[in-house]
Amino acid sequence: AGYVLMVQKLGYQTYVHRDYVRPLSQSDTNLDINMVPLNDQIDFDVKWDVPLWSPGVWEIEMNDAWDRFAVAMGKHPDPDDPETWATQLPFIDSNGDILWTKSLPDQSWAVDVSGDGSIVSGTTHATRADNFIYVWDHDGNVLWSAPLDSESLDVDISISNQYVATGKPGSGYSLGLYDARTGVKAREFDTGWNKIRQVVFTPDGQHIVTGPMLHMLTVRGETIWRRYEFSGLPYVIWISSDQSRIMIPDKGDYVSMYNWDGDLLWRRMLRVLTYG
């Protein structure tokens, strides 16, 4: 393949070279590029900022009103990182005030807030220690917690606040469905993959889409369809409000669009795709 060449300059569109660049050893590589000026630039003012903890922000999730924010604190490991990295999970309001924090025994890569802001869920991402899923209410009271079989990469609360989904609930299963208020395990799913990378409830709250490999499941435990194709680990899974489209940007620099039946409508490579 080669390298993706990207050039950025204030006041200009980001330039991404159309081909992979393959430098030769001890030789200069000369390329002609054309920077396109930005016609409209948007300036943002800082409304508030709040210092947080190590190891840094991995993910931020918010409620529908955007006045409550939960933050997962984690990072990809470096060689000199400690074996476990105890941290805090903060719950922040629209003024930047930390309403409460929860101590976690290790870093976290997954967090979610219910649409009405009444429930917060977080998980640990410990490669050398035990892993857990936690659910708190709006005031930070512990509703329940449960052990997980490995580090959790994603967690999602259903639209109706009825269920919480995450993985890996136990050996032989990659996805678990829990009662959001009690923590009782309602279902376990085996997707044929060691662990799930992303999970999301559909807007009707009756289905789950998860990957890799891409599956649509019902909350009752039925498999609607599966796609055994793989272009890259999914960064996020987005489902349209009318449930007619499912869009997935992935770590292979592709964006894929599916219909409700799991048929691939189109796929495009964007070269530089850093998240969702």
Side-chain angles (χ1 to χ4, degrees):
Y3 295 93
V4 174
L5 174 69
M6 182 173 66
V7 181
Q8 293 179 313
K9 180 178 175 61
L10 187 65
Y12 291 83
Q13 295 181 23
T14 295
Y15 172 87
V16 181
H17 197 60
R18 64 184 181 276
D19 299 313
Y20 287 111
V21 179
R22 300 176 177 85
L24 299 176
S25 177
Q26 298 181 347
S27 299
D28 292 337
T29 299
N30 297 312
L31 299 168
D32 291 326
I33 66 172
N34 181 35
M35 301 291 287
V36 178
L38 287 171
N39 294 324
D40 298 309
Q41 298 187 62
I42 301 174
D43 293 323
F44 293 94
D45 295 324
V46 176
K47 192 172 182 181
W48 49 262
D49 61 69
V50 55
L52 297 176
W53 302 271
S54 296
V57 173
W58 179 265
E59 181 183 24
I60 303 173
E61 290 290 340
M62 66 288 297
N63 64 345
D64 292 343
W66 278 56
D67 60 9
R68 295 293 185 271
F69 306 88
V71 185
M73 308 294 290
K75 65 188 288 287
H76 281 296
D78 290 311
D80 57 348
D81 284 348
E83 288 195 359
T84 59
W85 201 320
T87 188
Q88 305 286 320
L89 187 151
F91 194 47
I92 305 171
D93 68 12
S94 58
N95 296 315
D97 296 322
I98 297 177
L99 301 175
W100 47 261
T101 63
K102 294 299 172 180
S103 297
L104 300 181
D106 212 319
Q107 59 183 307
S108 175
W109 283 18
V111 68
D112 196 26
V113 180
S114 63
D116 62 4
S118 64
I119 301 176
V120 178
S121 182
T123 64
T124 48
H125 187 274
T127 57
R128 299 181 180 90
D130 294 331
N131 285 273
F132 298 90
I133 176 176
Y134 307 88
V135 176
W136 304 278
D137 67 14
H138 178 272
D139 296 317
N141 300 307
V142 178
L143 295 179
W144 57 272
S145 64
L148 296 174
D149 193 59
S150 70
E151 64 270 24
S152 173
L153 297 171
D154 197 23
V155 63
D156 197 49
I157 302 171
S158 67
I159 304 299
S160 62
N161 299 350
Q162 184 177 5
Y163 296 113
V164 177
T166 193
K168 189 169 185 266
S171 60
Y173 296 97
S174 50
L175 178 65
L177 186 67
Y178 301 82
D179 183 285
R181 291 292 177 180
T182 67
V184 173
K185 193 183 299 180
R187 299 279 185 278
E188 290 179 312
F189 303 92
D190 179 14
T191 64
W193 197 263
N194 182 40
K195 62 187 73 172
I196 58 105
R197 181 63 168 77
Q198 285 292 313
V199 59
V200 61
F201 288 94
T202 55
D204 65 7
Q206 299 304 306
H207 300 78
I208 301 167
V209 180
T210 186
M213 303 292 181
L214 194 59
H215 282 67
M216 178 180 283
L217 313 162
T218 71
V219 295
R220 297 184 301 274
E222 303 161 333
T223 299
I224 303 300
W225 52 258
R226 61 174 65 91
R227 289 191 63 95
Y228 285 113
E229 61 170 7
F230 186 69
S231 62
L233 294 171
Y235 277 125
V236 290
I237 298 174
W238 291 108
I239 302 174
S240 63
S241 58
D242 64 0
Q243 301 191 161
S244 67
R245 296 290 184 270
I246 302 169
M247 187 186 76
I248 303 177
D250 63 47
K251 294 187 76 170
D253 286 338
Y254 287 96
V255 173
S256 302
M257 183 72 77
Y258 301 87
N259 64 16
W260 178 253
D261 296 320
D263 301 318
L264 179 64
L265 301 178
W266 53 261
R267 175 172 290 150
R268 301 285 184 271
M269 175 178 272
L270 295 188
R271 298 288 185 190
V272 178
L273 186 61
T274 57
Y275 192 63

